[in-house]
Amino acid sequence: MAKTTYFCYIFLIFCGIFAPISSTRTETQQNQSPSYLQFVYNATQFPSEDYYDYIIVGGGTAGCPLAATLSEHFKVLVLERGGVPFNKPNLMTQEGFISTLVDVDNYDSPAQAFTSEDGVPNARGRVLGGSSAINAGFYSRADDTFYNKSGVNWNLRLVNQSFDWVERAIVFRPELKNWQSAIRDALIEAGVDPYNGFSLDHRLGTKIGGSTFDRYGRRHSAADMLNYARASNIKVAIHASVQRILVASSSPYSGGKQTAVGVVYRDETGKFHHAMLSEKGEIMVCAGALGSPQLLLLSGIGPRTYLSSWGIPVVHHLPYVGQYLYDNPRNGISIVPPTPLEHSLIQVVGITDSGAYLEAASNVIPFSFPEHSIFIQNPSPPLYLTVATIMEKITGPASAGSLRLASTDCVNGTRKIGDVLRSRSMDEFKFQEWFGARDFRFVGPTLPVDQSNDIMMADFCRRTVRTIWHYHGGCLVGKVVDQQFRVVGVDSLRVVDGSTFTVSPGTNPQATVLMLGRYVGVKTVRERMRKKRD
């Protein structure tokens, strides 16, 4: 009973999460073991020391496509602190989305829950595939603003080729059912136009985006990109917790050149292992907006004064590691419809000209009666009800925080939610009231009655703000890494993930982070081949 009640509570926190190609796969193929399992091993099976051309720290959204690409030509090791997603029903299905976020622990659950210092609940992936294995699966390419503000001189032809590479493997065109179809129509009625149909591109107006859930409701994640890897050139160590990056100096004197030479990682029995670089090799840190700056700091790469305060020997003074960490806020409303709805995660998005993105989801959750009910005999099985959510993401944010060891305004967007609720397309989700009136049954806070009142709307935003799980920054381009994602001042070390982003790319970052792994992999291979020819 307590578990079911907790499930409902967590759903109300998480109900606004995120979560091109028609699938030709059969249901039989969906149940087959992925080919990448042939080179995945528990970290306990690895030697105390071994050498690799490339060491990928973090088998997540960027790390998996990066590893697969590099393995085409070089010997690669992927170090992942979690397990594998395969054969975990909740993790691999649309219907298990909420359960995955509820069934968490401090050790090895695929989703790791945490709370920011200002009390906002959050989550990160702890499984091969990273957060792409726990999110709501929405896929949409970055907007032009992202490229312009990123600080990177992008090869846009390679960017598009990298997107295409990802999309051929794990992106599908969703089939809209009642809630998502109604949201699409309501957004158009509310003036979020034009209607762009199905598109993976970022376009002003309303569109159907891609999904990493196929037509059977099965999840496909970054881990599936490892199926492209050359099996003879790659090993993946799971339950491998990287402790620090090993850095050597070319000179015993202060100011000598620093070069990454390997990493120390620990297996689940507590045994330490050394993964070392072969000549001309590199370490690619792909541990995410939290994990990547954390690992640099633990390795002595960061602000001198701060590291010294923790007793960490300073390997390289880099003042902005862990700084400029951003998280996009989310606001929204939830309703209980009069008739049951299907499970649906994010499939439709409204991209407004005011800097807000509108999305929606519907989930069936268990609801139980109080343990000591007067009218109902216990034990009684839980009832199941649908909760439908409309939310908005703000493109900002206007402020930045920081990551430490151990420890906008949303008014226009919420007004647009009000416009959506007032559309004819939403009428079927209202209950019949007395004297012929019809209205929504809200779960949690409702929008202010007077939505023209800026003060009331701003107060609603402050009271209901939550994360949309799109945190980024901490190792920004131009401050921690250069345009090639190399850590400034340390050779043979790169950071390749969302921690390098100044702004969140478009409506949802998943597509761009997947692209980034492939993009950097191809550029790295080309660069190394060119040097070999020279």
Side-chain angles (χ1 to χ4, degrees), residues 388-411:
T389 301
I390 307 172
M391 69 208 87
E392 56 104 11
K393 169 187 173 180
I394 302 170
T395 55
S399 60
S402 63
L403 179 139
R404 296 297 188 187
L405 295 175
S407 5
T408 292
D409 187 0
C410 85
V411 169

Side-chain angles (χ1 to χ4, degrees), residues 279-297:
E279 185 180 1
K280 298 181 181 178
E282 290 184 277
I283 295 167
M284 308 287 203
V285 181
C286 307
L290 301 183
S292 290
Q294 178 190 39
L295 181 59
L296 293 186
L297 292 171

